[in-house]
């Protein structure tokens, strides 16, 4: 789930593309989900992805999205609504945090859920919800969180469920 209403809460499309490639190399099928407003991300992600994925952006109702998340082996999402849906349906959830922090109280709290974030940045959190642009102009909270880092957490989560 690569979307978010707040641009600073979106992990970069190039990183999503690389993450999808890593999942594909391991034999996993990836489905992108999100709202119709986030559909523009499909093209951006495709430009950085050599593997295929299924495009579910804007194609499912909330209930259908929740059921898809429930049936999936795991959900990787920015700190946005799909994280909360994943928790609600008790899916395995990996949430990417950038400008916001789990300490705000909105985080995946399932026993096997995880968070991917860069800790110790002087500028985090920069807002409670995210912003249109990084107030510091460097976007380190997301740019420093590389695809390998997120994939290593995801792989560990998937290995624990096999």
């Amino acid at each position: 789930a690569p979307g978010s209403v707040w641009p600073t809460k979106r992990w970069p499309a190039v990183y999503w593309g690389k993450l999808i490639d890593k999942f594909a190399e391991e034999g996993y099928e990836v489905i992108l989900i999100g709202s119709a407003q986030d559909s523009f991300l499909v093209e951006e992600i495709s430009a950085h992805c050599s593997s295929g994925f299924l495009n579910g952006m804007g194609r499912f109702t909330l209930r259908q999205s929740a059921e898809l998340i429930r049936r999936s082996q795991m959900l990787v999402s920015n700190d946005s609504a799909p994280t909360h849906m994943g928790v609600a349906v008790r899916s395995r959830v990996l949430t990417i945090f950038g400008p916001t922090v789990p300490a705000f109280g909105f985080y995946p709290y399932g026993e096997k859920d995880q968070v991917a974030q860069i800790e110790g940045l002087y500028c985090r959190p920069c807002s409670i919800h995210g912003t249109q642009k990084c107030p510091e102009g460097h976007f380190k909270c997301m740019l420093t969180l590389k695809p390998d880092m997120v994939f290593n957490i995801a792989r560990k989560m998937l290995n624990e469920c096999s």
Side-chain angles (χ1 to χ4, degrees), residues 97-124:
F97 279 87
T100 57
V101 293
F104 287 158
F106 304 103
Y107 58 90
Y109 55 81
E111 186 178 304
K112 297 184 179 181
D113 295 343
Q114 294 289 321
V115 166
Q117 65 182 337
I118 299 298
E119 297 192 43
L121 288 175
Y122 72 92
C123 52
R124 269 187 87 225

Side-chain angles (χ1 to χ4, degrees), residues 1-2 11-33 41-55 57 76 96 147-148 150-151 154:
W11 200 43
V14 63
Y15 289 4
W16 280 106
K18 291 177 189 292
L19 183 66
I20 290 167
D21 286 342
K22 290 179 178 304
F23 277 116
E25 288 169 14
E26 299 277 327
Y28 293 100
E29 188 171 28
V30 174
I31 304 172
L32 294 185
I33 61 164
L41 292 169
V42 172
E43 194 171 311
E44 291 180 16
I45 292 168
S46 292
H48 302 287
C49 181
S50 59
S51 305
F53 57 83
L54 298 173
N55 176 12
M57 299 288 273
V76 180
I96 297 169
D148 283 340
V150 174
F151 184 70

Side-chain angles (χ1 to χ4, degrees), residues 74-75 83 86-87 91-95 108 112-115 157:
M74 77 177 308
L75 168 69
T83 284
V87 169
S91 182
R92 208 172 288 271
V93 179
L94 171 55
T95 303
K112 297 184 179 181
D113 295 343
Q114 294 289 321
V115 166
M157 291 172 70

Side-chain angles (χ1 to χ4, degrees), residues 54-98:
L54 298 173
N55 176 12
M57 299 288 273
R59 297 183 177 177
F60 300 111
T61 65
L62 286 175
R63 184 173 287 169
Q64 290 168 332
S65 294
E67 181 62 15
L68 178 62
I69 292 168
R70 187 186 70 76
R71 292 180 184 212
S72 298
Q73 287 185 300
M74 77 177 308
L75 168 69
V76 180
S77 176
N78 294 318
D79 173 26
S80 59
T83 284
H84 310 298
M85 292 169 64
V87 169
V89 299
R90 297 192 173 144
S91 182
R92 208 172 288 271
V93 179
L94 171 55
T95 303
I96 297 169
F97 279 87

